[in-house]
Amino acid sequence: MNYKYFMPTRVVMGNDCIVNNSNLFQSLGKKALIVTGTRSAKSNGSESDVKKALEAEGIEYVVFDKVMSNPTISCVYEGARIAKENNIDFIIPIGGGSPMDAGKAIALLAAQTIDEENLFSGIYEDKVLPIAIVPTTAGTGSEVTQYAILTNDKAETKTSIATDLIFPKVAFLDPKYMTQLGVETTINTAIDALSHAVEGMLSVKASTISDALAVESIRMIMEVTPIMLEALESNNQSKFDLKTREILLHASLIAGMVIAQTGTTAVHAMGYSLTYFKDIDHGRANGLLLGDYLRLVEEQKPELGKRILNAMNMTGSKDFKDLMNKMFGKKEVITLEEISKFSGLAIQTRNIGNCIVKPTEEDIVQMFKDSFY
Amino acid sequence: MNYKYFMPTRVVMGNDCIVNNSNLFQSLGKKALIVTGTRSAKSNGSESDVKKALEAEGIEYVVFDKVMSNPTISCVYEGARIAKENNIDFIIPIGGGSPMDAGKAIALLAAQTIDEENLFSGIYEDKVLPIAIVPTTAGTGSEVTQYAILTNDKAETKTSIATDLIFPKVAFLDPKYMTQLGVETTINTAIDALSHAVEGMLSVKASTISDALAVESIRMIMEVTPIMLEALESNNQSKFDLKTREILLHASLIAGMVIAQTGTTAVHAMGYSLTYFKDIDHGRANGLLLGDYLRLVEEQKPELGKRILNAMNMTGSKDFKDLMNKMFGKKEVITLEEISKFSGLAIQTRNIGNCIVKPTEEDIVQMFKDSFY
């Protein structure tokens, strides 16, 4: 057995963990670039907590708050330019997956010159600005991974920068930043995390360690699904109390630790097209496809399927698909031509090579159909 | 909930993993100090694999092979002196717990000046030589911890240097180095790892992540106990085939990741006296005490006791103690005066403060008596 494990990020979790651990910024440098979106980091208190902590430590900062959903390549080059112009020492991404991924890419691009055509090559100099990261959703796990996923118009999909260089040095996880998240975002991000944990168990790189973590993450998220349904029915985000937010944040962290070891598989490969072409939220896209991929796993590797479904406390993939259908309501319209195109793109991704149960292009077409028709 | 996670070591596991990943030495420097004991690293092939890898990378090395069992403070100061004299860039500890702990301490002492009286203070400059480590037993988990445990004659016990500085940069785990280990050493080290996993679940710092890992490690080691008993009966170390060695090495790694988060508890606190004063092997010492501590846990925190015993696939602490008795045979003679002295020392350790079920000094006396009388 050959096996590797690496996840060097220092994780600090808890109420007020940024302000209470402001000393952790000290070793990163004297001037920070805060990378975030236009709004949420301001309204949920995370940006002001970071500023307070930096001021307490006498660290200067510049704010780059122009990261959009599904960040583009030009956005991260702009961020890197600002970092260089301002002689920035380290990067503080704050937000959901988009600002976190953008911030991690900026940390790389600010420390070395990488042409756009080599951006996803994986071949970089051994230089990066250190990253201190603050997730404000509980889903991507980006705070503990070596991935930065960007919108890649040339490839018409989302593509990962994957390098150990962009593992954050420190991740600050405070559940209070999630209290404002709406029902839909909470569910989408939670199901994204669930998909990470499940796909981790379906990866050829799965190991004893990643599986133990994945099972725990799956168990935690599934325990919250009744609350998700309740919140959905009542359209009331306050059904997610702080304790529940904390469970989801913790589960998402653990699922991130999983995919840092395993990568993702067919579900992400397929979901990227739904996001790129149909603007379907990333977590929702995964949730819409996960049940159908689990059915394929059940058929081809029944033992593995059973382990995952056991962790979910479910008897079959059908039950899980029903739950996702309940959670995601009316589905988007996808034409058969689109399915054919998306399947052709998905089959070419690295994620498919990463699957224990490798779908054929026909399998992928079928899964899209089973999900959307 | 406040919570921290940190374990930055890059783990590489598998057959010939040192030679196959020799490039990982490159970023550590141009001259290495190999720290090991007098014999085993030479006979099990690990030292020659390391030399081969270093030569392939054009890295010079010096060998310090004077580490004894339960290394002393003067031993690590001597190693540090040799490192400084030879302008060493990084340290390669090879061996069981003793050379690993010594090597980690040497990496710290070679990079900064620390007086003997401040050696265990935890207050150090932010300087250390990088460490690439090679375990050749499957027990201590030292390859993935921030601890270096030395014999402390002033305190009449073993004392930890505990600092994130001494997390190894890389750990190479190759099960073939364990094939020569005798039955007794294999069992003692495996039970040391088991004790780590169990004590991790009994620590006030236990978390979802450490518990998930601990349960897995416990399960893996307990699965091997029938082979341990068989090997013991037949006095035949070849009962441990390479696959079994790999399971034990993997379980010990995972248990190390656990105690990197949780520290150890009462069992280690008590066991140190057995090693210091009675020269009882560290793993054996833990194994002799673990059942009695589990009984106390069963009484005071039945739910927690049950979770651990479930992971062991056992119904009660009595069954576990019987198994340990079978495994460790005739016990050493400990007088009541010794018990009283050892209990007085144990109650003062940091490990006791780390216990969910905090034993009183009377409890500790009773556990020693229950184990040895």
Short mmCIF file of all heavy atoms in Angstrom, two decimals, chain A residues 261-300:
data_model
loop_
_atom_site.label_atom_id
_atom_site.label_comp_id
_atom_site.label_asym_id
_atom_site.label_seq_id
_atom_site.Cartn_x
_atom_site.Cartn_y
_atom_site.Cartn_z
N GLN A 261 -7.05 15.05 0.87
CA GLN A 261 -6.34 13.78 0.64
C GLN A 261 -6.81 13.08 -0.62
O GLN A 261 -6.02 12.44 -1.31
CB GLN A 261 -6.54 12.83 1.84
CG GLN A 261 -6.29 13.45 3.21
CD GLN A 261 -4.96 14.17 3.30
OE1 GLN A 261 -3.95 13.69 2.81
NE2 GLN A 261 -4.97 15.36 3.89
N THR A 262 -8.10 13.18 -0.90
CA THR A 262 -8.69 12.30 -1.92
C THR A 262 -9.04 12.99 -3.23
O THR A 262 -9.18 12.33 -4.25
CB THR A 262 -10.01 11.70 -1.40
OG1 THR A 262 -10.95 12.78 -1.20
CG2 THR A 262 -9.81 10.94 -0.11
N GLY A 263 -9.22 14.29 -3.21
CA GLY A 263 -9.82 14.96 -4.36
C GLY A 263 -11.30 14.62 -4.47
O GLY A 263 -11.82 13.89 -3.63
N THR A 264 -11.96 15.16 -5.49
CA THR A 264 -13.38 14.84 -5.70
C THR A 264 -13.52 13.93 -6.92
O THR A 264 -12.53 13.62 -7.58
CB THR A 264 -14.21 16.13 -5.89
OG1 THR A 264 -13.66 16.87 -6.98
CG2 THR A 264 -14.21 16.97 -4.63
N THR A 265 -14.75 13.52 -7.21
CA THR A 265 -14.94 12.49 -8.23
C THR A 265 -15.99 12.91 -9.26
O THR A 265 -16.08 14.08 -9.61
CB THR A 265 -15.33 11.15 -7.56
OG1 THR A 265 -16.58 11.34 -6.89
CG2 THR A 265 -14.29 10.68 -6.57
N ALA A 266 -16.78 11.94 -9.72
CA ALA A 266 -17.71 12.16 -10.84
C ALA A 266 -18.73 13.25 -10.57
O ALA A 266 -19.10 14.01 -11.47
CB ALA A 266 -18.42 10.84 -11.17
N VAL A 267 -19.19 13.35 -9.32
CA VAL A 267 -20.25 14.31 -9.02
C VAL A 267 -19.75 15.74 -9.28
O VAL A 267 -20.43 16.53 -9.94
CB VAL A 267 -20.73 14.14 -7.56
CG1 VAL A 267 -21.76 15.19 -7.20
CG2 VAL A 267 -21.30 12.74 -7.36
N HIS A 268 -18.57 16.05 -8.80
CA HIS A 268 -18.02 17.38 -9.07
C HIS A 268 -17.75 17.57 -10.57
O HIS A 268 -18.01 18.64 -11.12
CB HIS A 268 -16.75 17.63 -8.26
CG HIS A 268 -17.02 18.22 -6.91
ND1 HIS A 268 -17.70 17.54 -5.92
CD2 HIS A 268 -16.74 19.45 -6.38
CE1 HIS A 268 -17.81 18.32 -4.85
NE2 HIS A 268 -17.24 19.48 -5.10
N ALA A 269 -17.25 16.52 -11.21
CA ALA A 269 -16.96 16.61 -12.65
C ALA A 269 -18.22 17.01 -13.42
O ALA A 269 -18.18 17.86 -14.31
CB ALA A 269 -16.45 15.27 -13.16
N MET A 270 -19.34 16.41 -13.06
CA MET A 270 -20.60 16.68 -13.74
C MET A 270 -21.18 18.03 -13.30
O MET A 270 -21.74 18.78 -14.11
CB MET A 270 -21.60 15.56 -13.44
CG MET A 270 -21.15 14.19 -13.95
SD MET A 270 -22.11 12.84 -13.21
CE MET A 270 -23.69 13.13 -13.99
N GLY A 271 -21.06 18.30 -12.02
CA GLY A 271 -21.67 19.51 -11.48
C GLY A 271 -21.09 20.80 -12.04
O GLY A 271 -21.78 21.81 -12.16
N TYR A 272 -19.79 20.76 -12.38
CA TYR A 272 -19.16 21.99 -12.87
C TYR A 272 -19.89 22.55 -14.09
O TYR A 272 -20.03 23.77 -14.23
CB TYR A 272 -17.68 21.76 -13.18
CG TYR A 272 -16.81 21.63 -11.95
CD1 TYR A 272 -15.68 20.81 -11.93
CD2 TYR A 272 -17.11 22.35 -10.79
CE1 TYR A 272 -14.88 20.70 -10.80
CE2 TYR A 272 -16.30 22.24 -9.65
CZ TYR A 272 -15.19 21.40 -9.66
OH TYR A 272 -14.40 21.29 -8.54
N SER A 273 -20.36 21.67 -14.99
CA SER A 273 -21.10 22.17 -16.16
C SER A 273 -22.41 22.83 -15.76
O SER A 273 -22.81 23.83 -16.35
CB SER A 273 -21.41 21.02 -17.13
OG SER A 273 -20.28 20.72 -17.91
N LEU A 274 -23.06 22.24 -14.77
CA LEU A 274 -24.33 22.84 -14.32
C LEU A 274 -24.09 24.25 -13.80
O LEU A 274 -24.91 25.15 -13.98
CB LEU A 274 -24.98 21.98 -13.24
CG LEU A 274 -25.40 20.56 -13.66
CD1 LEU A 274 -26.02 19.82 -12.48
CD2 LEU A 274 -26.37 20.60 -14.83
N THR A 275 -22.98 24.45 -13.14
CA THR A 275 -22.67 25.77 -12.62
C THR A 275 -22.22 26.70 -13.75
O THR A 275 -22.68 27.84 -13.85
CB THR A 275 -21.58 25.68 -11.53
OG1 THR A 275 -22.06 24.81 -10.51
CG2 THR A 275 -21.27 27.04 -10.94
N TYR A 276 -21.34 26.19 -14.60
CA TYR A 276 -20.77 27.06 -15.64
C TYR A 276 -21.83 27.49 -16.65
O TYR A 276 -21.94 28.67 -16.98
CB TYR A 276 -19.62 26.36 -16.37
CG TYR A 276 -18.91 27.27 -17.33
CD1 TYR A 276 -17.92 28.15 -16.88
CD2 TYR A 276 -19.25 27.30 -18.67
CE1 TYR A 276 -17.30 29.02 -17.75
CE2 TYR A 276 -18.64 28.17 -19.56
CZ TYR A 276 -17.65 29.03 -19.09
OH TYR A 276 -17.04 29.91 -19.94
N PHE A 277 -22.61 26.52 -17.14
CA PHE A 277 -23.54 26.85 -18.24
C PHE A 277 -24.93 27.25 -17.75
O PHE A 277 -25.64 27.99 -18.42
CB PHE A 277 -23.68 25.67 -19.20
CG PHE A 277 -22.42 25.37 -19.96
CD1 PHE A 277 -21.61 24.31 -19.61
CD2 PHE A 277 -22.02 26.18 -21.01
CE1 PHE A 277 -20.44 24.04 -20.30
CE2 PHE A 277 -20.86 25.92 -21.72
CZ PHE A 277 -20.05 24.84 -21.35
N LYS A 278 -25.35 26.70 -16.60
CA LYS A 278 -26.72 26.92 -16.17
C LYS A 278 -26.81 27.76 -14.90
O LYS A 278 -27.90 27.94 -14.35
CB LYS A 278 -27.41 25.56 -15.93
CG LYS A 278 -27.32 24.58 -17.10
CD LYS A 278 -28.07 25.05 -18.34
CE LYS A 278 -29.57 25.02 -18.16
NZ LYS A 278 -30.25 25.38 -19.43
N ASP A 279 -25.65 28.21 -14.43
CA ASP A 279 -25.61 29.05 -13.24
C ASP A 279 -26.30 28.41 -12.03
O ASP A 279 -26.90 29.09 -11.20
CB ASP A 279 -26.26 30.41 -13.56
CG ASP A 279 -25.76 31.49 -12.61
OD1 ASP A 279 -24.65 31.34 -12.07
OD2 ASP A 279 -26.50 32.46 -12.38
N ILE A 280 -26.21 27.09 -11.96
CA ILE A 280 -26.76 26.40 -10.79
C ILE A 280 -25.71 26.43 -9.68
O ILE A 280 -24.54 26.11 -9.93
CB ILE A 280 -27.15 24.95 -11.14
CG1 ILE A 280 -28.24 24.96 -12.22
CG2 ILE A 280 -27.58 24.18 -9.90
CD1 ILE A 280 -28.66 23.56 -12.69
N ASP A 281 -26.12 26.80 -8.49
CA ASP A 281 -25.20 26.86 -7.36
C ASP A 281 -24.42 25.55 -7.24
O ASP A 281 -24.97 24.46 -7.42
CB ASP A 281 -26.00 27.13 -6.08
CG ASP A 281 -25.12 27.06 -4.86
OD1 ASP A 281 -24.94 25.93 -4.31
OD2 ASP A 281 -24.58 28.09 -4.45
N HIS A 282 -23.14 25.68 -6.88
CA HIS A 282 -22.24 24.53 -6.83
C HIS A 282 -22.73 23.40 -5.91
O HIS A 282 -22.75 22.23 -6.30
CB HIS A 282 -20.85 25.02 -6.40
CG HIS A 282 -19.87 23.92 -6.14
ND1 HIS A 282 -19.42 23.07 -7.11
CD2 HIS A 282 -19.25 23.52 -4.99
CE1 HIS A 282 -18.57 22.20 -6.60
NE2 HIS A 282 -18.45 22.46 -5.31
N GLY A 283 -23.16 23.77 -4.71
CA GLY A 283 -23.62 22.75 -3.76
C GLY A 283 -24.90 22.08 -4.25
O GLY A 283 -25.06 20.85 -4.16
N ARG A 284 -25.80 22.89 -4.77
CA ARG A 284 -27.04 22.36 -5.33
C ARG A 284 -26.74 21.41 -6.50
O ARG A 284 -27.33 20.32 -6.59
CB ARG A 284 -27.91 23.54 -5.82
CG ARG A 284 -29.21 23.13 -6.49
CD ARG A 284 -30.01 24.36 -6.97
NE ARG A 284 -31.12 23.96 -7.80
CZ ARG A 284 -32.33 23.61 -7.34
NH1 ARG A 284 -32.57 23.63 -6.04
NH2 ARG A 284 -33.28 23.23 -8.16
N ALA A 285 -25.82 21.83 -7.36
CA ALA A 285 -25.45 20.99 -8.51
C ALA A 285 -24.97 19.62 -8.02
O ALA A 285 -25.39 18.57 -8.54
CB ALA A 285 -24.36 21.67 -9.32
N ASN A 286 -24.13 19.61 -7.01
CA ASN A 286 -23.64 18.33 -6.47
C ASN A 286 -24.79 17.51 -5.89
O ASN A 286 -24.90 16.31 -6.11
CB ASN A 286 -22.58 18.56 -5.39
CG ASN A 286 -21.29 19.10 -5.96
OD1 ASN A 286 -21.01 18.93 -7.15
ND2 ASN A 286 -20.51 19.77 -5.14
N GLY A 287 -25.65 18.20 -5.14
CA GLY A 287 -26.77 17.51 -4.49
C GLY A 287 -27.72 16.87 -5.49
O GLY A 287 -28.26 15.79 -5.27
N LEU A 288 -27.90 17.56 -6.64
CA LEU A 288 -28.82 17.04 -7.67
C LEU A 288 -28.27 15.78 -8.33
O LEU A 288 -29.02 15.01 -8.92
CB LEU A 288 -29.05 18.12 -8.74
CG LEU A 288 -29.88 19.33 -8.29
CD1 LEU A 288 -29.95 20.37 -9.41
CD2 LEU A 288 -31.28 18.92 -7.86
N LEU A 289 -26.95 15.57 -8.25
CA LEU A 289 -26.33 14.45 -8.97
C LEU A 289 -25.89 13.32 -8.05
O LEU A 289 -25.70 12.18 -8.48
CB LEU A 289 -25.11 14.96 -9.74
CG LEU A 289 -25.43 15.98 -10.84
CD1 LEU A 289 -24.20 16.76 -11.25
CD2 LEU A 289 -26.07 15.28 -12.05
N LEU A 290 -25.72 13.62 -6.76
CA LEU A 290 -25.09 12.67 -5.85
C LEU A 290 -25.89 11.37 -5.74
O LEU A 290 -25.31 10.26 -5.74
CB LEU A 290 -24.92 13.33 -4.48
CG LEU A 290 -24.15 12.60 -3.40
CD1 LEU A 290 -22.79 12.15 -3.88
CD2 LEU A 290 -23.98 13.49 -2.15
N GLY A 291 -27.20 11.48 -5.65
CA GLY A 291 -28.03 10.29 -5.51
C GLY A 291 -27.89 9.34 -6.69
O GLY A 291 -27.83 8.12 -6.52
N ASP A 292 -27.80 9.93 -7.89
CA ASP A 292 -27.68 9.08 -9.08
C ASP A 292 -26.31 8.41 -9.18
O ASP A 292 -26.20 7.28 -9.61
CB ASP A 292 -27.99 9.92 -10.34
CG ASP A 292 -29.44 10.38 -10.32
OD1 ASP A 292 -30.32 9.52 -10.40
OD2 ASP A 292 -29.67 11.59 -10.16
N TYR A 293 -25.29 9.12 -8.74
CA TYR A 293 -23.97 8.48 -8.72
C TYR A 293 -23.93 7.38 -7.66
O TYR A 293 -23.37 6.31 -7.88
CB TYR A 293 -22.86 9.52 -8.50
CG TYR A 293 -21.47 8.93 -8.63
CD1 TYR A 293 -21.12 8.12 -9.71
CD2 TYR A 293 -20.50 9.17 -7.66
CE1 TYR A 293 -19.85 7.57 -9.83
CE2 TYR A 293 -19.23 8.64 -7.78
CZ TYR A 293 -18.91 7.83 -8.87
OH TYR A 293 -17.65 7.29 -8.98
N LEU A 294 -24.59 7.63 -6.53
CA LEU A 294 -24.62 6.59 -5.49
C LEU A 294 -25.34 5.34 -5.99
O LEU A 294 -24.99 4.23 -5.60
CB LEU A 294 -25.31 7.13 -4.22
CG LEU A 294 -24.41 7.94 -3.29
CD1 LEU A 294 -25.23 8.48 -2.11
CD2 LEU A 294 -23.24 7.12 -2.77
N ARG A 295 -26.35 5.54 -6.85
CA ARG A 295 -27.03 4.37 -7.40
C ARG A 295 -26.06 3.54 -8.24
O ARG A 295 -26.02 2.31 -8.17
CB ARG A 295 -28.24 4.80 -8.24
CG ARG A 295 -29.23 3.65 -8.51
CD ARG A 295 -30.30 4.02 -9.52
NE ARG A 295 -29.80 4.76 -10.66
CZ ARG A 295 -29.06 4.25 -11.65
NH1 ARG A 295 -28.74 2.98 -11.67
NH2 ARG A 295 -28.66 5.03 -12.64
N LEU A 296 -25.23 4.21 -9.04
CA LEU A 296 -24.24 3.51 -9.85
C LEU A 296 -23.24 2.76 -8.94
O LEU A 296 -22.85 1.62 -9.22
CB LEU A 296 -23.49 4.51 -10.74
CG LEU A 296 -22.62 3.92 -11.85
CD1 LEU A 296 -23.51 3.35 -12.96
CD2 LEU A 296 -21.68 4.99 -12.45
N VAL A 297 -22.85 3.42 -7.86
CA VAL A 297 -21.92 2.78 -6.90
C VAL A 297 -22.59 1.55 -6.28
O VAL A 297 -21.97 0.48 -6.17
CB VAL A 297 -21.50 3.78 -5.80
CG1 VAL A 297 -20.70 3.09 -4.71
CG2 VAL A 297 -20.72 4.94 -6.40
N GLU A 298 -23.84 1.70 -5.89
CA GLU A 298 -24.60 0.59 -5.31
C GLU A 298 -24.60 -0.62 -6.25
O GLU A 298 -24.47 -1.76 -5.80
CB GLU A 298 -26.06 1.03 -5.12
CG GLU A 298 -26.54 1.06 -3.69
CD GLU A 298 -27.98 1.55 -3.63
OE1 GLU A 298 -28.52 2.07 -4.65
OE2 GLU A 298 -28.57 1.42 -2.55
N GLU A 299 -24.73 -0.35 -7.54
CA GLU A 299 -24.76 -1.44 -8.51
C GLU A 299 -23.39 -2.08 -8.68
O GLU A 299 -23.26 -3.29 -8.72
CB GLU A 299 -25.19 -0.90 -9.90
CG GLU A 299 -26.68 -0.76 -10.08
CD GLU A 299 -27.00 0.01 -11.37
OE1 GLU A 299 -26.16 0.00 -12.31
OE2 GLU A 299 -28.07 0.65 -11.41
N GLN A 300 -22.36 -1.23 -8.78
CA GLN A 300 -21.05 -1.76 -9.18
C GLN A 300 -20.16 -2.10 -7.99
O GLN A 300 -19.27 -2.95 -8.13
CB GLN A 300 -20.35 -0.76 -10.10
CG GLN A 300 -21.13 -0.56 -11.41
CD GLN A 300 -20.32 0.17 -12.46
OE1 GLN A 300 -19.13 0.38 -12.32
NE2 GLN A 300 -20.99 0.57 -13.54
#
